[in-house]
Amino acid sequence: MQTIEELLESKNIRVTAMRLLIYKFLAEKQIAVTLSDIENAFEKADRTTLYRTVKTFEEKDIVHQIDDGTGITKYALCEKGCNCELETDLHLHFHCNNCNETVCLTEHKIPQIKVPDGFVSENVNLVVKGICDKCSGQ
Amino acid sequence: MQTIEELLESKNIRVTAMRLLIYKFLAEKQIAVTLSDIENAFEKADRTTLYRTVKTFEEKDIVHQIDDGTGITKYALCEKGCNCELETDLHLHFHCNNCNETVCLTEHKIPQIKVPDGFVSENVNLVVKGICDKCSGQ
DNA sequence: CAGTAATTGCACTTCCATTGCATTGATTTT
DNA sequence: AAAATCAATGCAATGGAAGTGCAATTACTG
Ligand SMILES: [Mn+2]
Ligand SMILES: [Mn+2]
Ligand SMILES: [Zn+2]
Ligand SMILES: [Zn+2]
C-alpha cells in the first residue's frame, strides 16, 4: 500500500499541500466532480490552481475526464492500474437525470463496437443516462 | 416523395426562406455540423436566427443533437421515420480524430447496455473515436 | 387592406475553459 | 547558507459557445 505522496512521486508530480488536498477530495468522493465542485470545497484557493492541478493529474493519468453530456467537464480518479488511454480499459459512465450525479461504473467495460469497413476504432465514449440507484429508491 | 415544404408543414414548422436553405444545407452534408459551420455557410444571416432555426428543427425532431466529446454541439438531420426520443432508435456516432468530422452511423444501433441493479437506463450516448474511412485511405 | 402572430436581427449576458504574467515557494548548485 | 534556478500559485484577462430580451420585420388571417 503506497501513500499518496509515493503515488504522486511515482508519476513525476511534485508533492504540494494543494495537490494532496485535491487528491484526497477526489478520493473520498464516490462520484465524478466538476471544477466548480472543487472550487466550492476549496474556497480559499484560486480557480486556476485547482484547474491546473486537475489538468496535471489528468496528464499523468491519475484522473480521467468525463463528458457526460451536461456540457460541463467532470473528473474522477482512475482505478489502480487503469490505463485510460487503452480502449480495452474503458468503463462506462452513468449520469442520473434526477440528481445530476455521474458515476464511474468501473466494473462495466464497454462492449466491442463494430464499425463499418474503412473505419478504425481507437476509442469509445459511452454514457448511459437514467435514474441512479440512490434516486430509484432501490 | 414529399418536398421539404411538405415535410416542414407536416411538423408544424412554418416554411421560410431561411429554413429551407438551412434544411438543404444539412441535407447535402454527409456529416454532422456545428453552428459555426452553418454560420460560415450563411454569412449574411444572423447567428441567432441560425441558432433558433436549428433549435426549432431539433424540437420538432427534424434534426438531432450530437455530443461527440469535442465540446462543441453538432447537429444532423434525422433519418426518415427516426424516433430520436426512443432508446431503441439510437444509432452510434463516429468521430474522426484526424479530420475532426463526425458522422452518423445510422445502420449501427447501440447494443443493449447492462447497468447494475438499482440503476434505470433511459438513454445512451455512444461515440466511437478513431480514423474515418476517408482518412484511413481505404 | 388592416390586424395579428411568428420570425428575424441586434445587443447583451452568462458560463465554462484557458492563457499571460507576476509572485511566491521549493529545490539544486556553488 | 546564500544564490540561482525551476516549478507552483494567484490574479487578471481573454475566448468561445450557448442562450435571452426586445425591437423591427415579415408572413399569415380575416
Ligand atoms: Mn470513469
Ligand atoms: Mn446521428
Ligand atoms: Zn440520482
Ligand atoms: Zn477523418
Side-chain angles (χ1 to χ4, degrees):
Chain A
M1 190 53 196
Q2 67 181 346
T3 63
I4 302 175
E5 284 88 344
E6 286 166 348
L7 169 66
L8 295 182
E9 276 163 3
S10 77
K11 299 271 189 176
N12 285 313
I13 301 173
R14 287 202 188 175
V15 177
T16 69
M18 204 68 250
R19 288 172 174 173
L20 287 173
L21 284 171
I22 294 178
Y23 187 95
K24 283 173 192 160
F25 175 75
L26 292 169
E28 69 195 18
K29 281 266 172 190
Q30 294 300 319
I31 60 173
V33 299
T34 66
L35 218 47
S36 304
D37 292 335
I38 304 179
E39 274 177 64
N40 293 336
F42 300 97
E43 301 201 337
K44 54 242 166 163
D46 187 76
R47 265 202 6 252
T48 316
T49 305
L50 304 174
Y51 171 74
R52 285 200 259 237
T53 300
V54 173
K55 285 294 165 190
T56 300
F57 284 177
E58 188 187 358
E59 215 169 86
K60 299 301 175 69
D61 294 325
I62 282 186
V63 308
H64 62 282
Q65 192 174 333
I66 301 162
D67 173 9
D68 63 7
T70 56
I72 301 164
T73 309
K74 294 184 179 176
Y75 302 92
L77 279 191
C78 295
E79 295 288 289
K80 190 181 292 292
C82 147
N83 284 38
C84 297
E85 67 280 7
L86 301 177
E87 185 171 353
T88 53
D89 205 69
L90 295 177
H91 54 269
L92 68 90
H93 294 115
F94 188 95
H95 177 252
C96 178
N97 290 324
N98 184 244
C99 66
N100 204 34
E101 289 186 351
T102 297
V103 292
C104 297
L105 297 182
T106 51
E107 302 304 311
H108 290 65
K109 302 305 180 193
I110 296 177
Q112 193 65 30
I113 305 292
K114 282 188 88 136
V115 291
D117 285 351
F119 288 80
V120 181
S121 163
E122 293 177 343
N123 207 282
V124 181
N125 182 38
L126 176 57
V127 179
V128 178
K129 290 167 185 290
I131 308 297
C132 77
D133 54 346
K134 280 185 286 182
C135 290
S136 75
Q138 192 51 40
Chain B
M1 189 58 193
Q2 67 182 348
T3 64
I4 303 176
E5 283 88 344
E6 287 166 349
L7 171 65
L8 295 183
E9 277 163 3
S10 78
K11 299 270 190 177
N12 286 314
I13 301 173
R14 286 202 186 176
V15 177
T16 67
M18 204 67 251
R19 287 172 176 173
L20 286 173
L21 285 171
I22 295 178
Y23 187 95
K24 283 172 192 159
F25 175 75
L26 292 169
E28 69 194 16
K29 281 269 171 186
Q30 294 299 321
I31 60 174
V33 300
T34 66
L35 220 46
S36 307
D37 293 335
I38 304 178
E39 275 175 63
N40 293 335
F42 300 96
E43 300 200 338
K44 53 239 167 169
D46 188 77
R47 243 178 22 105
T48 316
T49 305
L50 305 175
Y51 171 74
R52 285 198 260 233
T53 300
V54 173
K55 284 296 163 188
T56 300
F57 284 176
E58 190 187 357
E59 217 169 82
K60 298 300 174 67
D61 292 326
I62 282 186
V63 309
H64 61 281
Q65 190 174 336
I66 300 161
D67 173 9
D68 64 7
T70 58
I72 301 164
T73 308
K74 295 183 178 172
Y75 302 92
L77 280 191
C78 293
E79 293 289 288
K80 192 181 290 293
C82 145
N83 283 40
C84 296
E85 67 281 5
L86 300 179
E87 185 169 356
T88 53
D89 205 69
L90 295 176
H91 54 269
L92 68 89
H93 293 114
F94 188 94
H95 177 251
C96 178
N97 291 324
N98 186 243
C99 65
N100 204 34
E101 290 186 351
T102 297
V103 292
C104 296
L105 297 181
T106 50
E107 301 304 310
H108 291 64
K109 302 304 179 196
I110 296 178
Q112 194 62 32
I113 305 292
K114 282 190 86 136
V115 292
D117 285 352
F119 289 80
V120 181
S121 163
E122 294 177 342
N123 207 282
V124 180
N125 183 37
L126 177 57
V127 179
V128 178
K129 291 165 184 288
I131 309 297
C132 76
D133 53 347
K134 282 185 286 183
C135 290
S136 76
Q138 192 52 42

